[in-house]
């Protein structure tokens, strides 16, 4: 059943299923939550459930013609507004509001999915607002966005809000294994780094295939002895946004393992269990990993605020070398 495809969002799913079961479907919904946690998939399943020809209580069969057409984007009553550039333009929303005036032709509901709704221009948002204020008959709007605060308060208040949570590490790991994207050990490692997002997990997996962890280990091995200008040379190849974005969580995970090893000596608690010898060795070199973990967190925040990556990484690595046991 399609709702079963949505992982780790029991509250959101129940909210939507109940609306359908109790015949209390509204005209406008706002799905909000971090990227990569299932908002878009849930919006499609919701459209399927509303129009399923099998009429399974609150769910979609996933197999009837309607369900299949919605999945492939070929249902005449389900519209997805594409984000082609930086903005959703007024011409796109005008087309939506025009189409909304016609009743559904095949299904029970005419459904408009507006992903990244925060990308609507002010004119587009105001145009949509008029339709949300007086929605025609069997018309449903689903807006998705990472943060409701990026939308006009008037739009927020017209929509029923459905919150999507960051996913649990276990849910991400199980998904990766189930989809044959990773073996159990690798899935566990990636899930720990993904910060609750399947999207991030998949990005990490792509980079992991490029053996990023081995590169990070290589970097740390060189840092054991590097000093001054040598440290600065080691930043080479890591300062581009996507590379740095992946380096920081890998470093954090590594130092987390050093900390765990120093405090417990229990190999089962390590994430990089397969590199035990190196962890033992490095746990001697860096006696205070918790300090470095705090520095990494700070660097991540700075990176999100668009700090100079080169400078950020130079400072980070120099701080790391200054914490070596001498
Ligand atoms: Zn169906």
């Amino acid at each position: 059943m399609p709702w079963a495809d949505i992982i780790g969002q029991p509250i959101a799913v129940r909210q939507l299923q109940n609306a359908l079961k109790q015949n209390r479907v509204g005209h406008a919904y706002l799905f909000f939550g971090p990227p990569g946690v299932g908002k878009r998939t849930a919006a499609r399943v919701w459209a399927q459930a509303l129009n399923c020809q099998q009429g399974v209580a609150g769910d979609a069969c996933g197999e009837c013609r309607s369900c299949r057409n919605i999945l492939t984007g070929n249902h005449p009553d389900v519209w997805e507004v594409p984000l082609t550039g930086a903005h959703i333009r007024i011409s796109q929303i005008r087309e939506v509001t025009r189409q909304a005036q016609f009743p559904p032709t095949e299904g029970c509901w005419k459904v408009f999915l507006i992903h990244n709704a925060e990308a609507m221009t002010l004119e587009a948002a105001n145009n949509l607002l008029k339709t949300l204020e007086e929605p025609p008959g069997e018309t449903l709007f689903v807006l998705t966005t990472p943060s409701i605060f990026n939308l006009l308060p008037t739009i927020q208040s017209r929509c029923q809000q459905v919150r999507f949570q960051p996913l649990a590490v276990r849910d991400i790991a199980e998904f990766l294994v189930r989809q044959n994207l990773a073996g159990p050990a690798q899935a566990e490692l990636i899930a720990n780094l993904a910060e609750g997002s399947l999207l991030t997990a998949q990005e990490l997996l792509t980079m992991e295939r490029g053996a990023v962890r081995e590169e990070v280990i290589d970097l740390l091995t060189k840092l054991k002895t590097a000093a001054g200008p040598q440290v600065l040379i080691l930043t080479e190849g890591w300062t581009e946004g996507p590379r740095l974005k992946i380096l920081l969580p890998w470093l954090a995970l590594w130092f987390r393992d050093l900390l765990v090893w120093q405090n417990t000596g229990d190999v089962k608690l390590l994430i990089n269990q397969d590199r035990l010898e190196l962890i033992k060795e490095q746990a001697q070199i860096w006696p205070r990993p918790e300090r470095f973990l705090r520095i990494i967190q700070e660097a991540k925040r700075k990176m999100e605020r668009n700090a100079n990556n080169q400078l950020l990484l130079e400072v980070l690595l120099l701080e790391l070398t200054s914490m070596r046991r001498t």
Side-chain angles (χ1 to χ4, degrees), residues 88-194:
I88 297 175
R89 296 180 307 278
I90 186 160
S91 56
Q92 292 174 281
I93 296 299
R94 275 210 189 102
E95 180 60 14
V96 164
T97 51
R98 195 179 74 81
Q99 288 295 338
Q101 305 308 317
F102 303 110
T105 54
E106 279 186 18
C108 309
W109 287 85
K110 196 139 185 172
V111 184
F112 296 92
L113 309 180
I114 305 176
H115 303 299
N116 299 105
E118 75 285 354
M120 283 189 289
T121 62
L122 187 60
E123 294 77 20
N126 278 322
N127 193 282
L128 180 66
L129 188 61
K130 278 187 223 135
T131 309
L132 293 183
E133 278 164 354
E134 292 173 33
E138 312 301 343
T139 307
L140 178 84
F141 293 88
V142 181
L143 282 61
T144 70
T145 187
S147 163
I148 49 172
F149 301 112
N150 297 331
L151 291 172
L152 294 178
T154 40
I155 292 219
Q156 291 173 32
S157 65
R158 288 281 156 197
C159 297
Q160 298 193 30
Q161 297 178 5
V162 184
R163 178 196 291 271
F164 285 72
Q165 314 273 2
L167 301 174
V169 169
R170 198 190 55 241
D171 285 335
I172 295 178
E174 283 174 4
F175 175 85
L176 296 177
V177 172
R178 209 168 44 242
Q179 298 289 317
N180 283 324
L181 294 169
Q186 191 190 26
E188 185 72 25
L189 196 64
I190 295 288
N192 270 291
L193 290 167

Side-chain angles (χ1 to χ4, degrees), residues 20 54 62 109 115 123 141 145 170 238 262 268 282 296:
L20 194 54
Q54 301 292 330
W109 287 85
H115 303 299
E123 294 77 20
F141 293 88
T145 187
R170 198 190 55 241
W238 286 109
Q262 287 169 355
K268 289 195 296 298
Q282 297 222 338
I296 294 175

Side-chain angles (χ1 to χ4, degrees), residues 257-270:
D257 270 0
L258 299 189
L259 185 64
V260 169
W261 178 255
Q262 287 169 355
N263 284 283
T264 69
D266 185 350
V267 66
K268 289 195 296 298
L269 299 178
L270 299 180

Side-chain angles (χ1 to χ4, degrees), residues 48 51-56 59-68:
Q48 285 180 314
N51 282 318
C52 179
Q53 292 164 334
Q54 301 292 330
V56 196
D59 205 342
C61 73
E63 286 161 9
C64 69
R65 198 164 67 93
S66 170
C67 281
R68 279 184 285 120

